[in-house]
Amino acid sequence: MKKAVRVMGLIAVAVLTVAACKTMETATTLVTVIGVGSGVISSSQGESIQRSAVAISRSVESFTPEQEYYIGRSVGAVVLSKYTAYANTQVNQYINMLGQTLAKASDLPEVFGGYHFLVLESDDINAFATPGGHIFITRGLIRCCRTEDALAAVLAHEIGHVQLRHGMQAIEKARVTEALTVLAQEGLKTYGSREVAQLTQAFSGAISDIASNMINNGYSRSFEYQADQAALVILRRIGYNPSGLINMLAGMEQKLKPGGLDFAKTHPAPRDRIAEIQKPDLTFTSVVQPKIRQERFIKAGSQL
Amino acid sequence: MRRMRFIFAGFSLMAVLALPIAADTQKTLSVQIREGQIRATPSFLGKMVAKVAYGDRVDMLEDRDAWKRVSIPGGKLQGWMHTSALTTKRIVLKAGQADVQTGATRDELALAGKGFNEQVEAAFKKENKNLDYTWINRMEGFKVSPEQMQDFLASGNLVPRAEGGTP
């Protein structure tokens, strides 16, 4: 009898929740009621699920930096199934010194596991950034840069994608809802095999959404232009010449092969990006690179 | 008379300036990254005074948009952290903990180690045996200390002009 009252109570809570909230909570509520009714979960766990379903809202914003980190690791593993890491300590150290310093001047200087950069052994002109802050850049793209300021622009553009959460926004909405529904079950002390299977399915879907967007289709033009704007801000803050971005794009314009599966396919044409950058009628002055900065850039580049 | 007005204007300005600080005192925040650094000045180049771990709680003493001056509860240490390292949510390190059951909840909870975690990554790897995480782990080992960053900036003749803002 007591149990029946409790279940009735829960149903009342459920009805209220349904009245007050949107679809995802509704789904969780129904699952919870079914779970309690069938004895799969205790009613206190049930209440806990009810509460957190409201607590966790329904957008990608709801993923914690820790979860973005795990998504990032696996997206990175997918990138590395298509490209080989360039195992050169000196060049990777240089790229991390430059990239991690730039990231600190972004609007998202702190990500769960920190920003990390890796050079890819490929003549393609390509770069990728995962939601967790793993950033990859091909040898081919580094070769489009003639100065450290230009290379800084490439890395700052990728940091811009992380900061603006472009990768996370590639995840299909249904998948987000699905994952968050399972995540809402905080009352469960540990995941059973069913929850792990559900989560893994959502995880797997999220990885493929992001990877296919990033590697095959490319983000929208507006995302690319936004990342360019973020890059300009980061460059200025650190003290690089923002015209590094324009110089890099000009270098890329010369090297991109039409029909290529790299930036030729996934990014707006460099000349379009340059036009977009110069739209607000900004003047970019070319400044002579300090000798010492140019020397370390050439030294690192000689390792490619 | 004019002087009086000037003094009055000065007081008003002080009151306005004091307001946001007063409103934000006593606020407790949680560290939402694996390893947080508390710095002596509100700058990423600021000297590190302490490290805090994921889920640690800090009290906010001052709010300057992207940077918060914080102290570790019960400790005398205080310093600055960037807002992207912090969340207003309470981070619960273990699911099923008492405060999860009775906590104020709603928008206040974030669950550490829940959802997409190591366990899910392991299950994902099992289904995708072609994926190799060796270089992911290796690249995560590439670390640059604040001192190295300072050297890098100085030796490249770079003078930072501003800090990162808010996301």
PDB file of all heavy atoms in Angstrom, chain A residues 102 149 233-242 293, chain B residues 153 156-162:
ATOM      1  N   LEU A 102      49.130  31.126 -26.934  1.00  0.00           N
ATOM      2  CA  LEU A 102      48.009  31.795 -27.600  1.00  0.00           C
ATOM      3  C   LEU A 102      46.685  31.474 -26.904  1.00  0.00           C
ATOM      4  O   LEU A 102      45.847  32.344 -26.693  1.00  0.00           O
ATOM      5  CB  LEU A 102      47.924  31.356 -29.066  1.00  0.00           C
ATOM      6  CG  LEU A 102      49.012  31.866 -30.002  1.00  0.00           C
ATOM      7  CD1 LEU A 102      49.033  31.055 -31.283  1.00  0.00           C
ATOM      8  CD2 LEU A 102      48.793  33.349 -30.328  1.00  0.00           C
ATOM      9  N   ASP A 149      54.222  34.804 -36.918  1.00  0.00           N
ATOM     10  CA  ASP A 149      52.928  35.482 -36.809  1.00  0.00           C
ATOM     11  C   ASP A 149      51.872  34.777 -37.662  1.00  0.00           C
ATOM     12  O   ASP A 149      50.716  34.656 -37.255  1.00  0.00           O
ATOM     13  CB  ASP A 149      53.050  36.957 -37.238  1.00  0.00           C
ATOM     14  CG  ASP A 149      53.935  37.752 -36.292  1.00  0.00           C
ATOM     15  OD1 ASP A 149      54.972  37.217 -35.867  1.00  0.00           O
ATOM     16  OD2 ASP A 149      53.580  38.901 -35.964  1.00  0.00           O
ATOM     17  N   VAL A 233      41.663  38.661 -32.636  1.00  0.00           N
ATOM     18  CA  VAL A 233      41.657  39.163 -31.254  1.00  0.00           C
ATOM     19  C   VAL A 233      42.807  38.544 -30.458  1.00  0.00           C
ATOM     20  O   VAL A 233      43.555  39.236 -29.762  1.00  0.00           O
ATOM     21  CB  VAL A 233      40.296  38.858 -30.578  1.00  0.00           C
ATOM     22  CG1 VAL A 233      40.333  39.202 -29.094  1.00  0.00           C
ATOM     23  CG2 VAL A 233      39.171  39.629 -31.270  1.00  0.00           C
ATOM     24  N   ILE A 234      42.957  37.231 -30.578  1.00  0.00           N
ATOM     25  CA  ILE A 234      44.003  36.525 -29.827  1.00  0.00           C
ATOM     26  C   ILE A 234      45.396  37.042 -30.241  1.00  0.00           C
ATOM     27  O   ILE A 234      46.251  37.307 -29.400  1.00  0.00           O
ATOM     28  CB  ILE A 234      43.891  34.995 -30.049  1.00  0.00           C
ATOM     29  CG1 ILE A 234      42.587  34.471 -29.428  1.00  0.00           C
ATOM     30  CG2 ILE A 234      45.103  34.259 -29.468  1.00  0.00           C
ATOM     31  CD1 ILE A 234      42.250  33.034 -29.783  1.00  0.00           C
ATOM     32  N   LEU A 235      45.588  37.199 -31.550  1.00  0.00           N
ATOM     33  CA  LEU A 235      46.893  37.676 -32.045  1.00  0.00           C
ATOM     34  C   LEU A 235      47.230  39.042 -31.459  1.00  0.00           C
ATOM     35  O   LEU A 235      48.344  39.269 -30.988  1.00  0.00           O
ATOM     36  CB  LEU A 235      46.877  37.760 -33.577  1.00  0.00           C
ATOM     37  CG  LEU A 235      46.812  36.428 -34.332  1.00  0.00           C
ATOM     38  CD1 LEU A 235      46.636  36.668 -35.826  1.00  0.00           C
ATOM     39  CD2 LEU A 235      48.056  35.583 -34.080  1.00  0.00           C
ATOM     40  N   ARG A 236      46.245  39.931 -31.483  1.00  0.00           N
ATOM     41  CA  ARG A 236      46.485  41.282 -30.946  1.00  0.00           C
ATOM     42  C   ARG A 236      46.822  41.232 -29.473  1.00  0.00           C
ATOM     43  O   ARG A 236      47.712  41.937 -29.011  1.00  0.00           O
ATOM     44  CB  ARG A 236      45.233  42.153 -31.150  1.00  0.00           C
ATOM     45  CG  ARG A 236      45.153  42.697 -32.552  1.00  0.00           C
ATOM     46  CD  ARG A 236      44.186  43.885 -32.634  1.00  0.00           C
ATOM     47  NE  ARG A 236      43.874  44.139 -34.024  1.00  0.00           N
ATOM     48  CZ  ARG A 236      42.792  43.681 -34.641  1.00  0.00           C
ATOM     49  NH1 ARG A 236      41.902  42.968 -33.985  1.00  0.00           N
ATOM     50  NH2 ARG A 236      42.599  43.936 -35.912  1.00  0.00           N
ATOM     51  N   ARG A 237      46.080  40.406 -28.721  1.00  0.00           N
ATOM     52  CA  ARG A 237      46.304  40.355 -27.275  1.00  0.00           C
ATOM     53  C   ARG A 237      47.725  39.923 -26.926  1.00  0.00           C
ATOM     54  O   ARG A 237      48.333  40.419 -25.995  1.00  0.00           O
ATOM     55  CB  ARG A 237      45.309  39.384 -26.617  1.00  0.00           C
ATOM     56  CG  ARG A 237      43.921  39.967 -26.462  1.00  0.00           C
ATOM     57  CD  ARG A 237      42.998  38.963 -25.808  1.00  0.00           C
ATOM     58  NE  ARG A 237      41.626  39.452 -25.771  1.00  0.00           N
ATOM     59  CZ  ARG A 237      40.561  38.669 -25.654  1.00  0.00           C
ATOM     60  NH1 ARG A 237      40.713  37.362 -25.562  1.00  0.00           N
ATOM     61  NH2 ARG A 237      39.355  39.182 -25.616  1.00  0.00           N
ATOM     62  N   ILE A 238      48.234  38.947 -27.698  1.00  0.00           N
ATOM     63  CA  ILE A 238      49.566  38.423 -27.398  1.00  0.00           C
ATOM     64  C   ILE A 238      50.660  39.358 -27.901  1.00  0.00           C
ATOM     65  O   ILE A 238      51.770  39.366 -27.380  1.00  0.00           O
ATOM     66  CB  ILE A 238      49.730  37.018 -28.033  1.00  0.00           C
ATOM     67  CG1 ILE A 238      48.957  35.995 -27.218  1.00  0.00           C
ATOM     68  CG2 ILE A 238      51.174  36.610 -28.157  1.00  0.00           C
ATOM     69  CD1 ILE A 238      49.619  35.559 -25.930  1.00  0.00           C
ATOM     70  N   GLY A 239      50.326  40.125 -28.914  1.00  0.00           N
ATOM     71  CA  GLY A 239      51.336  41.044 -29.437  1.00  0.00           C
ATOM     72  C   GLY A 239      51.822  40.671 -30.833  1.00  0.00           C
ATOM     73  O   GLY A 239      52.783  41.248 -31.337  1.00  0.00           O
ATOM     74  N   TYR A 240      51.131  39.681 -31.464  1.00  0.00           N
ATOM     75  CA  TYR A 240      51.475  39.351 -32.848  1.00  0.00           C
ATOM     76  C   TYR A 240      50.794  40.343 -33.775  1.00  0.00           C
ATOM     77  O   TYR A 240      49.773  40.944 -33.423  1.00  0.00           O
ATOM     78  CB  TYR A 240      51.018  37.926 -33.207  1.00  0.00           C
ATOM     79  CG  TYR A 240      51.922  36.851 -32.652  1.00  0.00           C
ATOM     80  CD1 TYR A 240      51.485  36.001 -31.642  1.00  0.00           C
ATOM     81  CD2 TYR A 240      53.217  36.701 -33.130  1.00  0.00           C
ATOM     82  CE1 TYR A 240      52.312  35.027 -31.118  1.00  0.00           C
ATOM     83  CE2 TYR A 240      54.055  35.725 -32.619  1.00  0.00           C
ATOM     84  CZ  TYR A 240      53.600  34.891 -31.611  1.00  0.00           C
ATOM     85  OH  TYR A 240      54.425  33.936 -31.104  1.00  0.00           O
ATOM     86  N   ASN A 241      51.325  40.449 -34.974  1.00  0.00           N
ATOM     87  CA  ASN A 241      50.719  41.304 -35.969  1.00  0.00           C
ATOM     88  C   ASN A 241      49.528  40.561 -36.593  1.00  0.00           C
ATOM     89  O   ASN A 241      49.709  39.490 -37.175  1.00  0.00           O
ATOM     90  CB  ASN A 241      51.757  41.638 -37.037  1.00  0.00           C
ATOM     91  CG  ASN A 241      51.250  42.679 -37.999  1.00  0.00           C
ATOM     92  OD1 ASN A 241      50.042  42.870 -38.152  1.00  0.00           O
ATOM     93  ND2 ASN A 241      52.175  43.362 -38.650  1.00  0.00           N
ATOM     94  N   PRO A 242      48.306  41.114 -36.471  1.00  0.00           N
ATOM     95  CA  PRO A 242      47.141  40.406 -37.021  1.00  0.00           C
ATOM     96  C   PRO A 242      47.236  40.183 -38.520  1.00  0.00           C
ATOM     97  O   PRO A 242      46.565  39.307 -39.060  1.00  0.00           O
ATOM     98  CB  PRO A 242      45.961  41.318 -36.684  1.00  0.00           C
ATOM     99  CG  PRO A 242      46.475  42.430 -35.873  1.00  0.00           C
ATOM    100  CD  PRO A 242      47.963  42.381 -35.832  1.00  0.00           C
ATOM    101  N   ARG A 293      62.696  36.266 -33.470  1.00  0.00           N
ATOM    102  CA  ARG A 293      61.448  35.508 -33.632  1.00  0.00           C
ATOM    103  C   ARG A 293      61.474  34.736 -34.950  1.00  0.00           C
ATOM    104  O   ARG A 293      61.061  33.580 -35.018  1.00  0.00           O
ATOM    105  CB  ARG A 293      60.258  36.476 -33.612  1.00  0.00           C
ATOM    106  CG  ARG A 293      58.927  35.777 -33.407  1.00  0.00           C
ATOM    107  CD  ARG A 293      57.755  36.719 -33.624  1.00  0.00           C
ATOM    108  NE  ARG A 293      57.800  37.893 -32.760  1.00  0.00           N
ATOM    109  CZ  ARG A 293      57.009  38.958 -32.929  1.00  0.00           C
ATOM    110  NH1 ARG A 293      56.122  38.996 -33.905  1.00  0.00           N
ATOM    111  NH2 ARG A 293      57.109  39.996 -32.130  1.00  0.00           N
TER     112      ARG A 293
ATOM    113  N   LEU B 153      57.598  34.462 -24.810  1.00  0.00           N
ATOM    114  CA  LEU B 153      57.140  35.798 -25.197  1.00  0.00           C
ATOM    115  C   LEU B 153      58.320  36.776 -25.243  1.00  0.00           C
ATOM    116  O   LEU B 153      58.508  37.498 -26.214  1.00  0.00           O
ATOM    117  CB  LEU B 153      56.077  36.301 -24.207  1.00  0.00           C
ATOM    118  CG  LEU B 153      54.720  35.587 -24.258  1.00  0.00           C
ATOM    119  CD1 LEU B 153      53.858  36.000 -23.069  1.00  0.00           C
ATOM    120  CD2 LEU B 153      53.976  35.891 -25.547  1.00  0.00           C
ATOM    121  N   GLY B 156      60.755  36.186 -28.001  1.00  0.00           N
ATOM    122  CA  GLY B 156      60.210  36.479 -29.330  1.00  0.00           C
ATOM    123  C   GLY B 156      59.874  37.949 -29.490  1.00  0.00           C
ATOM    124  O   GLY B 156      59.222  38.329 -30.458  1.00  0.00           O
ATOM    125  N   ASN B 157      60.266  38.734 -28.487  1.00  0.00           N
ATOM    126  CA  ASN B 157      60.012  40.174 -28.551  1.00  0.00           C
ATOM    127  C   ASN B 157      58.514  40.462 -28.605  1.00  0.00           C
ATOM    128  O   ASN B 157      58.055  41.334 -29.335  1.00  0.00           O
ATOM    129  CB  ASN B 157      60.698  40.732 -29.799  1.00  0.00           C
ATOM    130  CG  ASN B 157      61.262  42.108 -29.543  1.00  0.00           C
ATOM    131  OD1 ASN B 157      61.008  42.679 -28.482  1.00  0.00           O
ATOM    132  ND2 ASN B 157      62.013  42.625 -30.496  1.00  0.00           N
ATOM    133  N   LEU B 158      57.763  39.684 -27.829  1.00  0.00           N
ATOM    134  CA  LEU B 158      56.308  39.837 -27.835  1.00  0.00           C
ATOM    135  C   LEU B 158      55.860  40.504 -26.537  1.00  0.00           C
ATOM    136  O   LEU B 158      56.244  40.074 -25.451  1.00  0.00           O
ATOM    137  CB  LEU B 158      55.638  38.467 -27.955  1.00  0.00           C
ATOM    138  CG  LEU B 158      55.793  37.791 -29.312  1.00  0.00           C
ATOM    139  CD1 LEU B 158      55.582  36.298 -29.188  1.00  0.00           C
ATOM    140  CD2 LEU B 158      54.796  38.375 -30.309  1.00  0.00           C
ATOM    141  N   VAL B 159      55.035  41.518 -26.662  1.00  0.00           N
ATOM    142  CA  VAL B 159      54.525  42.216 -25.474  1.00  0.00           C
ATOM    143  C   VAL B 159      53.001  42.077 -25.432  1.00  0.00           C
ATOM    144  O   VAL B 159      52.294  42.707 -26.206  1.00  0.00           O
ATOM    145  CB  VAL B 159      54.908  43.709 -25.506  1.00  0.00           C
ATOM    146  CG1 VAL B 159      54.459  44.405 -24.230  1.00  0.00           C
ATOM    147  CG2 VAL B 159      56.403  43.873 -25.710  1.00  0.00           C
ATOM    148  N   PRO B 160      52.492  41.196 -24.537  1.00  0.00           N
ATOM    149  CA  PRO B 160      51.034  41.009 -24.461  1.00  0.00           C
ATOM    150  C   PRO B 160      50.343  42.322 -24.106  1.00  0.00           C
ATOM    151  O   PRO B 160      50.817  43.080 -23.275  1.00  0.00           O
ATOM    152  CB  PRO B 160      50.865  39.982 -23.344  1.00  0.00           C
ATOM    153  CG  PRO B 160      52.170  39.293 -23.250  1.00  0.00           C
ATOM    154  CD  PRO B 160      53.196  40.316 -23.603  1.00  0.00           C
ATOM    155  N   ARG B 161      49.205  42.548 -24.784  1.00  0.00           N
ATOM    156  CA  ARG B 161      48.481  43.806 -24.566  1.00  0.00           C
ATOM    157  C   ARG B 161      47.240  43.629 -23.710  1.00  0.00           C
ATOM    158  O   ARG B 161      46.775  44.564 -23.084  1.00  0.00           O
ATOM    159  CB  ARG B 161      48.047  44.374 -25.906  1.00  0.00           C
ATOM    160  CG  ARG B 161      49.232  44.858 -26.684  1.00  0.00           C
ATOM    161  CD  ARG B 161      48.850  45.176 -28.101  1.00  0.00           C
ATOM    162  NE  ARG B 161      50.052  45.187 -28.914  1.00  0.00           N
ATOM    163  CZ  ARG B 161      50.062  45.379 -30.208  1.00  0.00           C
ATOM    164  NH1 ARG B 161      48.935  45.570 -30.846  1.00  0.00           N
ATOM    165  NH2 ARG B 161      51.189  45.377 -30.881  1.00  0.00           N
ATOM    166  N   ALA B 162      46.671  42.455 -23.743  1.00  0.00           N
ATOM    167  CA  ALA B 162      45.428  42.263 -22.993  1.00  0.00           C
ATOM    168  C   ALA B 162      45.249  40.803 -22.631  1.00  0.00           C
ATOM    169  O   ALA B 162      45.869  39.930 -23.212  1.00  0.00           O
ATOM    170  CB  ALA B 162      44.254  42.742 -23.829  1.00  0.00           C
TER     171      ALA B 162
END
